[in-house]
Amino acid sequence: MELPVFAALVLIVAGVWSLVVWPQFLRRVIKDPRARDADGKATKFLTVHVVLVSVSMVLGAATALIGIMGLFA
């Protein structure tokens, strides 16, 4: 796959951004009082955000990988 260097770098930066930002967001969500019910069980609020962060991090890793592959191809 051939990508212009600029496009490859944009993909790498976007992927790294996702991998850096989303875990910080999840840490805040976990501390949020809405994350657990009175019994300490995970709420839908927490579950939805864990899924959101997980999908976003997988896509971020894939984006960075595509950028790296494009840069060195």
Side-chain angles (χ1 to χ4, degrees), residues 13-35:
V13 169
V16 170
W17 174 264
S18 288
L19 295 172
V20 170
V21 170
W22 283 109
Q24 302 300 323
F25 176 74
L26 184 58
R27 284 190 192 104
R28 288 194 308 268
V29 168
I30 289 172
K31 292 179 185 176
D32 192 297
R34 297 172 289 179

Side-chain angles (χ1 to χ4, degrees), residues 2 6 8-9 11 13 15 27-29 31 35-36 38 43 46 48 62 66 68-69 71:
E2 252 183 73
F6 179 75
L9 291 174
L11 289 173
V13 169
R27 284 190 192 104
R28 288 194 308 268
V29 168
K31 292 179 185 176
R36 303 267 176 202
T43 61
L46 179 58
V48 166
I66 292 167
I68 292 167
M69 289 170 53
L71 193 61

Side-chain angles (χ1 to χ4, degrees), residues 28-53:
R28 288 194 308 268
V29 168
I30 289 172
K31 292 179 185 176
D32 192 297
R34 297 172 289 179
R36 303 267 176 202
D37 63 13
D39 297 326
K41 294 181 183 177
T43 61
K44 289 181 182 180
F45 173 83
L46 179 58
T47 304
V48 166
H49 283 88
V50 167
V51 170
L52 171 71
V53 170

